[in-house]
Structure formats: C-alpha cells, structure tokens
Amino acid sequence: MEEKIVKFPAAGGGLTDRFRRPLRDLRISVMDRCNFRCPYCMPEDKYHKDFQFLTTTERLSFTEIVKLARIFAGFGVHKLRITGGEPLLRASLQDLIGDLSRIDGIDDIALTTNGILLAQHAAALKAAGLNRVTVSLDSLDDKVFDVMSGGRGSKDKVLDGIREVEQSGLLPIKINVVVKKGLNDETVFDLVEHFRGTGIIVRFIEYMDVGTINHWRLSETVPARELVELINARWPISPAEQNYHGEVASRYMFEDGQGEIGFIASVTEPFCGSCTRARLSSDGKLFTCLFASEGTDLRGLLRAGASDQELAETIGKAWNGREDRYSELRALQSEPGNKVEMYYIGG
Ligand code: SAM
Ligand code: SF4
Ligand code: SF4
C-alpha cells in the first residue's frame, strides 16, 4: 500500500492506518509506578522493592505531554485517557488535566485509576477539567480484593474514592473488573448487586495476555459470553446500542430498569477492526497496539529540539504504517513473543 503524505495540522484529522482505521484516542501513561501489585499486571516477584522504575527525568514532563497531545489533536484525536501504572501517583496531575483540557479538539478526558488515592483528588481533577473516571475494582470480598491487588490498598478506600467522584459530579463512573478464573470469578455477582441501580456502570474485562510476566493461560480467561449468560439468568439483561463506533465494551441494560452493565471481550471477541487508539508510554514512546513489542521514541525527538512538524511526521508515519491486530491474530500464534507490559503503556 502506498504511504500517505502526512500534513500537520491535518485538516479535520484524516490520518488512517493500513486498515483505514482513523486515529481518534490517545492513552497517556503518566506514571509507570503503581501502589498495587495486581498479579495479572505487576506481580510482586518481578516488581519488588529493588525494581528500577523510570526516574523523574526519564518520564515525560507535563510540558512535553501537552506538546505531543496538541499534535495528536491536530490529527483528529479528540479523546484522551490518563492512565499508568497508577496515574494518581503523579504529583499535581490536575495541572496536566487543566492544560490538556484547553487543547483545541479535545472534548473528552478520562482517567483510569485503582481508586486508592481518588477520594483526596476527585474534586480538584473535576475542577481542572476531567470529564470521566474509570475505577478498577476486581472484588468486594476483602480476601479476594487482597489477592487481586497484590496485598495493597483496601476495598473500602476505593469505595470512598468512588463516592467522592460521585459527589464531584464526574459521571457516569465506570468500574473495571478483570475476571480471572479461580481468583475472583466467584465474586462477580456481589459487584453487580452492589452497583446495579446506582448509575455506576460495571464492566467485566476478560483477563488478557498483555506483556509476558503474568504467565497468562487462556484457561484462566472467563469468556464474556459465559458471564453474560450467568448474569442474565439472575438479572435479565438485553443488548444495547454502542454509544459510538469503536466502543470496546458490549453494552447491556438491566430489563428491570436498574441501569447498564458492560463486557469487554478482548480475547474471545476481538475488536481490532475498529481500534482507533494510540498509546504514549511514560517515557514518551508511541505504541500503536496494546500488544506491541516496540514503540516509536518521541521523547528523543522532543529533547533533540524537533519541531512540531517533525514530530507530526513521525507520528503520522507510525500511524500510517500501523498493521496491528494482535487480538485477531492471537489464536494463530504458537509463541507469545516479546510484548510490552501493560503498566508501562497503560491499559
Ligand atoms: N492503575 C490503574 C488501574 O488499575 O485502573 C490504571 C492502569 S491499569 C494497567 C488499566 C486497566 O488495565 C485496569 O482496569 C486493569 O484492571 C487492566 N488490566 C491490567 N492488566 C490486565 C490484564 N492482564 N488483563 C485485562 N486487563 C488488565
Ligand atoms: Fe497497578 Fe493498575 Fe496494574 Fe493493578 S492493574 S498493578 S493497579 S497498574
Ligand atoms: Fe487495538 Fe491492538 Fe487491542 Fe487489536 S490488539 S484492539 S489493535 S490494541
């Protein structure tokens, strides 16, 4: 396929990859460190106290992030998701949110967090211009929560954080639940029961083979289809329309009017065909897929004094050449290969 000429700023976006997928969303990892050690993401044995995380100077500064985000917006990106690691470990995050919210073309800024520090930050984040929050909470059972978070934090603190977000008006709140067979699959009903009727949307995510250190096995993924059937048998649910093209969660509504629930079937029903997401790691590498093994170094260019035009050309070239559809190909692969870890580029 012939390569397109990248113009910056692209009039109305217009940047597409090799499968004609536009670039619409950017996930920005602002922090590689985390205060949890979820075994499916940052198992304690690997991320122990001597693990070398990035240094402050290795991470992109807020100025650098904003500069890049502005260029992405010029290509048609309108949604930003701030993630990590744990994004709330990054000091003064509200300042970054404020700067990002003033970029032309950005109309939605969301945050994904484990929620443990949320109560103290929710109001300032909202005031700075944050639009939505997704909180990860894998179980309401204290023992299961403990296992799923690697023995850190407390479910009650996460619930406090969720309450604070509700009060600050950052709605609707979504709850991400990674379901791992034999670990928390027995406790999904409690989560549904707790949040049904509150306006908070629980979304069950299939446990994925991100990175290489979680020793993923397909047998530990609970297919979304199975969960839909189980939940439907207890609280009847009906499929709902997508909110927008490329939405990753399949939406369902409780038939008794008690709200919405979602299922993200990344493993068993991949959605690469509508994937419009790019990811920026905390040290400034651009990844065009969650399962990529290599990224494009934007920090090096930034710090070498590259102009916006040069940065745009590099970003445009990376997206133009994008052929990623890992989840669709997963079933055909015999070897897991060398993939970047999720805490590093953000979920
Ligand atoms: N620390 C924040 C949090 O946990 O919400 C943000 C970063 S975390 C990497 C983003 C999302 O990725 C979380 O909802 C987490 O549950 C999910 N995640 C991490 N590892 C995963 C895996 N192996 N399979 C499916 N989802 C995963
Ligand atoms: Fe930390 Fe989030 Fe990964 Fe858990 S899923 S270890 S909270 S980055
Ligand atoms: Fe997008 Fe890659 Fe996930 Fe497919 S596997 S949906 S291309 S991030």
Side-chain angles (χ1 to χ4, degrees), residues 21 271-272 275 277 279 288-291 322 324-327:
R21 295 170 296 188
F271 33 77
C272 302
C275 179
R277 290 175 293 282
R279 292 176 158 84
T288 54
C289 179
L290 180 54
F291 298 92
R322 177 183 191 242
D324 305 294
R325 53 189 193 106
Y326 176 85
S327 289

Side-chain angles (χ1 to χ4, degrees), residues 267-313:
V267 176
T268 61
E269 297 164 50
F271 33 77
C272 302
S274 58
C275 179
T276 57
R277 290 175 293 282
R279 292 176 158 84
L280 185 63
S281 67
S282 14
D283 58 352
K285 291 206 177 78
L286 166 64
F287 289 87
T288 54
C289 179
L290 180 54
F291 298 92
S293 50
E294 276 172 36
T296 304
D297 178 24
L298 300 180
R299 186 189 67 186
L301 284 173
L302 273 168
R303 295 187 183 176
S307 65
D308 284 5
Q309 178 67 35
E310 285 164 330
L311 287 162
E313 278 170 10

Side-chain angles (χ1 to χ4, degrees), residues 142-162:
D142 287 318
K143 285 205 184 98
V144 178
F145 178 92
D146 209 45
V147 174
M148 294 298 275
S149 63
R152 311 294 169 97
S154 97
K155 160 211 92 186
D156 293 326
K157 272 203 166 163
V158 178
L159 291 175
D160 287 348
I162 293 170

